[in-house]
Each structure stands twice: as C-alpha cells, then as structure tokens.
C-alpha cells in the first residue's frame, strides 16, 4: 500500500467505470468518505464514461468537489480507458449496457463482452501491476473472465467479480427470519454465477455462533430463501421501477474493503478465476467462500459438499461454461 515517509499515506488511485450511472452515483460518495480504503487513506479518483455520458460525469464531478471530502486529492474524468486506469491501484468495472426487457442473458453477454476486451487491454497497458479489479457490470463473472484474458501481464487472481450483493441479500433474509440485526449473521456465502442459478449456502452460517441450520427449517432454506435471494434483483426492479443501485454500491464497497483491509476471519463471497477448487474447471470466474488477509484472497478449501450443494455447484459450472463458450472469440 503506497505510503509517504512522514507517516501520512500517499494517495492511491481508484478507477471507476460507468461513474455517471446509478451505481456510480452511490459508490463514489461511499469511497470518497473513506468507507472502502479507510479513513486515513487519501484518494485520487479516476472516472471513466463513454462520450454520451461525459456531460453527466461533469455534473457528478462538480458534486463530488462540492462535497469537499478531505480524503479526495484529485478527480479525473475521462472517456479514455488508459487515462482512467493509469497507475490504478483499485478498479471498479461498473459501466456496461444494462439488460433491457427484450434481451436474454445471451444478448447481454454479446452486448457487453467487447467492452471488457478493451478495458482488459487498457488495464494491462496502464494499471499498477498490483491492481485489484472488481467487476460489477453484468454478466459480471464472464465480463471479469474477458477482462482477465485480455490482461496477460496481470495475475489472474487480481480479477474478481461481485457476488457480495447476493451474499448481503442472503444475510438480510436470514436476519429478518430469525429476528436479529444482520451483524449477528456470519459465514453465509454464494457459490457460482451472479445470476438466478447462484447458490446461497447457509450450511456453515451462524447467528451469534448458533448454526443457521439449527435455527431455520431446511425446507425454507432450500425453498423460499433460495428463490428470494436469486430473484431479488427482479423484485427490486418491479417495486422501485429501477434496478438495485445503493445496495449494489454498498456490496462493491464491502467486497473491495475486505480485499484491501482483510475480512477479519469471516467467510465472504468473491468470484475469481478458479484454480480447480471444488473441482470447478480452471479459469471459470466462479464465486467461492473466501477469506481475505494482507491484500490476498484465500479460497476456503475444506468445506463439506452435500448432494444438494453439489447439484447447485454443477448447475453453475454448466451455466458459466456456456457463457464462456458464447464469448470464446473474445478470450
Ligand atoms: P446505469 O445504466 O445507470 O449506468 C451505467 C453507466 O455505464 C452509464 O452511465 C453508461 O454511460 C456507462 N457505460 C456504458 N458503457 C461504458 C463503457 N464502455 N465504459 C464506461 N462507462 C460505460 O447502470 P447501473 O445501474 O449503474 O448498473 C451498472 C451495471 O451493474 C449493469 O451492468 C448492471 O446490470 C450491473 N449490476 C450488477 C450487480 C451485481 O451484483 N454484480 C447488481 C446491480 C446491477 O444490476
């Protein structure tokens, strides 16, 4: 972590794509206030938009300056990925084309894949060699795979995709069902793809050190709980008339904060290129149970897998293999 000799930290460079979008608008204020990298860590914000978004980005930058955040040393707005990623220590890949009513998942993969080819190349050309990348733009697992494949000089394990929103949704459901604050629920995590095949795994979860499986009925855990978490994004669109934005930004902060500052022994969900863990094919960007220490992500490798979990893991492997095949010419 960059640090000046007089004990005060030197600024880190944090790049955010799609910075004038809905998630960007919520994310920037959380990062700028110190929630992600710590309240002593100065920041240079490097914000990327496409040309039609540059006017909105100008407005966002005006508001950021008007917030007079003590940690923010500079703000750069650009439509050039190499400028945005220049020497970046952390990158949030948020910008992409959102799914519209007429698009299925295959259309979304096809529409967004090329964006992540260009951004992967730009990361390779200009980011810090130690950069930590989180991909939020959907389909985020496969977009992370594409960016990673196009950045051959950056180690694979520095590319991740976000399943923390799904984890937080799962934690929220369990907390509500038991009747406790979310802070009392731990070690609930997500396997697989950020899509409705994902598996929110409650088997190792605890509420104040009591197993979740002792507190809640297994029919609820394998039925309504699973469906509610998997379809929550759609339910929010129906209720709010817009997709999740503040909760997505909050989850992105949680993901990067734990990676940067450590997860304090807790198990958290992160999608990253598989090294064959739990027999998930090498290279697939798959969400695993992880712990973070000293800036590294460590997959928790010794958890028992029962028949139901294996079935869900297999479904996710299959879905991600199909997505990978659909973008094979971009890898
Ligand atoms: P918005 O449409 O509000 O914002 C996206 C922004 O990205 C726009 O300002 C657009 O101009 C910009 N953009 C598009 N292409 C770009 C490119 N090539 N380079 C830089 N900027 C670009 O969408 P928003 O609600 O912010 O959502 C952003 C992405 O997050 C979407 O792909 C969405 O599907 C995804 N989500 C992912 C979640 C997750 O858990 N992984 C949950 C929330 C969200 O659905």
């Amino acid at each position: 972590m960059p640090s000046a000799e007089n004990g005060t930290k030197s600024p880190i460079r944090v790049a955010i794509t799609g910075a004038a979008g809905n998630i960007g608008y919520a994310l920037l204020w959380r990062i700028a206030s110190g929630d992600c990298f710590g309240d002593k860590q100065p920041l240079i914000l490097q914000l990327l938009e496409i040309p039609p978004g540059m006017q909105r980005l100008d407005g966002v930058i005006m508001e950021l300056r008007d917030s007079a955040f003590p940690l923010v040393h500079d703000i750069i707005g650009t439509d050039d990925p190499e400028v945005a990623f220049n020497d970046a220590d952390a990158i949030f890949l948020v910008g992409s084309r959102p799914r519209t009513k007429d698009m299925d998942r295959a259309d979304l993969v096809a529409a967004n894949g090329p964006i992540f080819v260009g951004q992967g190349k730009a990361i390779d050309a200009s980011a810090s060699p130690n950069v930590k990348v989180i991909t939020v733009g959907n389909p985020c697992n496969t977009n992370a795979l594409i960016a990673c494949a196009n950045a051959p000089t950056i180690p694979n394990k520095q590319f991740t995709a976000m399943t923390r929103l799904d984890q937080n949704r799962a934690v929220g459901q369990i907390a509500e069902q038991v009747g406790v604050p979310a802070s009392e629920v731990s070690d609930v995590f997500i396997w697989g793809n950020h899509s409705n095949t994902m598996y929110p795994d409650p088997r190792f979860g605890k509420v104040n050190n009591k197993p979740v499986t002792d507190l809640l009925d297994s029919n609820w855990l394998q039925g309504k709980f699973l469906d509610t978490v998997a379809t929550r994004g759609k339910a929010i669109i129906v209720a709010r008339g817009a997709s999740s934005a503040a909760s997505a930004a909050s989850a992105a902060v949680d993901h990067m904060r734990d990676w940067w500052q450590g997860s304090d022994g807790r198990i958290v969900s992160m999608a990253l290129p598989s090294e064959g863990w739990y027999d998930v094919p090498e290279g697939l960007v798959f969400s695993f149970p992880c712990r973070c220490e000293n800036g590294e992500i460590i997959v928790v490798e010794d958890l028992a897998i029962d028949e139901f979990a294996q079935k869900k893991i297999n479904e996710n492997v299959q879905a991600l293999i199909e997505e990978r095949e659909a973008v094979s010419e971009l890898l």
Side-chain angles (χ1 to χ4, degrees):
M1 221 170 281
S3 167
E5 279 174 14
N6 63 5
T8 53
K9 289 180 174 179
S10 51
I12 57 166
R13 292 176 181 271
V14 179
I16 295 140
T17 74
N22 287 312
I23 294 175
Y25 194 68
L27 181 60
L28 283 165
W29 269 259
R30 295 284 309 278
I31 292 173
S33 64
D35 286 353
C36 192
F37 300 97
D39 61 6
K40 305 271 184 302
Q41 178 58 64
L43 307 163
I44 296 170
L45 299 176
Q46 305 187 158
L47 312 182
L48 182 71
E49 261 296 341
I50 45 177
M54 287 306 286
Q55 188 183 333
R56 277 182 291 121
L57 184 60
D58 284 344
V60 170
I61 292 174
M62 283 187 239
E63 277 203 82
L64 273 173
R65 293 198 192 285
D66 294 350
S67 301
F69 285 113
L71 292 174
V72 176
H73 282 212
D74 197 5
I75 307 171
I76 295 157
T78 177
D79 59 9
D80 180 344
E82 286 201 23
V83 173
F85 300 148
N86 182 36
D87 283 339
D89 301 291
I91 299 178
F92 295 75
L93 296 178
V94 181
S96 63
R97 214 180 123 183
R99 186 164 165 178
T100 46
K101 278 187 194 142
D102 53 325
M103 287 170 106
D104 64 18
R105 204 166 170 85
D107 296 330
L108 189 69
V109 173
N112 280 322
I115 294 176
F116 292 84
V117 172
Q119 294 189 350
K121 290 191 167 132
I123 290 170
D124 205 51
S126 63
S128 155
N130 300 317
V131 66
K132 292 176 165 50
V133 182
I134 172 177
T135 312
V136 175
N138 278 323
C140 62
N141 296 56
T142 295
N143 289 341
L145 174 77
I146 296 169
C148 177
N150 285 280
T153 69
I154 310 269
N156 291 357
K157 63 180 185 191
Q158 291 169 223
F159 284 86
T160 64
M162 181 170 96
T163 49
R164 186 60 172 267
L165 178 56
D166 308 304
Q167 174 187 318
N168 288 351
R169 287 168 171 166
V171 166
Q173 288 302 306
I174 288 171
E176 192 181 355
Q177 190 74 4
V178 180
V180 294
S183 58
E184 295 183 15
V185 182
S186 60
D187 297 348
V188 173
F189 59 85
I190 305 296
W191 297 96
N193 198 6
H194 169 66
S195 73
N196 54 13
T197 57
M198 86 186 74
Y199 175 39
D201 190 343
R203 294 173 306 133
F204 308 95
K206 292 179 209 75
V207 175
N208 277 327
N209 288 325
K210 289 198 197 90
V212 166
T213 47
D214 286 357
L215 296 167
L216 294 170
D217 179 61
S218 65
N219 289 331
W220 184 82
L221 287 169
Q222 290 189 358
K224 183 147 190 270
F225 165 69
L226 211 145
D227 288 347
T228 303
V229 175
T231 58
R232 190 67 157 187
K234 205 180 234 174
I236 285 167
I237 293 175
V238 169
R240 213 173 78 87
S243 61
S244 318
S247 57
S250 199
V253 166
D254 290 346
H255 175 122
M256 187 61 86
R257 181 203 59 223
D258 286 350
W259 192 359
W260 196 268
Q261 304 192 48
S263 69
D264 212 13
R266 286 169 301 124
I267 298 182
V268 293
S269 314
M270 291 182 166
L272 71 166
S274 175
E275 293 182 8
W277 302 295
Y278 296 95
D279 292 331
V280 172
E282 214 160 302
L284 278 191
V285 174
F286 198 91
S287 182
F288 291 103
C290 299
R291 290 194 177 91
C292 303
E293 269 172 41
N294 304 321
E296 299 284 331
I297 301 170
I298 302 140
V299 172
V300 181
E301 291 191 64
D302 55 355
L303 299 178
I305 304 296
D306 64 14
E307 202 182 321
F308 185 77
Q310 190 62 59
K311 179 172 155 269
K312 300 302 293 177
I313 289 172
N314 293 348
E315 271 173 39
N316 280 281
V317 166
Q318 192 50 41
L320 282 166
I321 286 176
E322 281 167 23
E323 286 187 21
R324 181 167 70 180
E325 280 165 3
V327 299
S328 56
E329 77 285 5
L330 304 179
L331 301 175

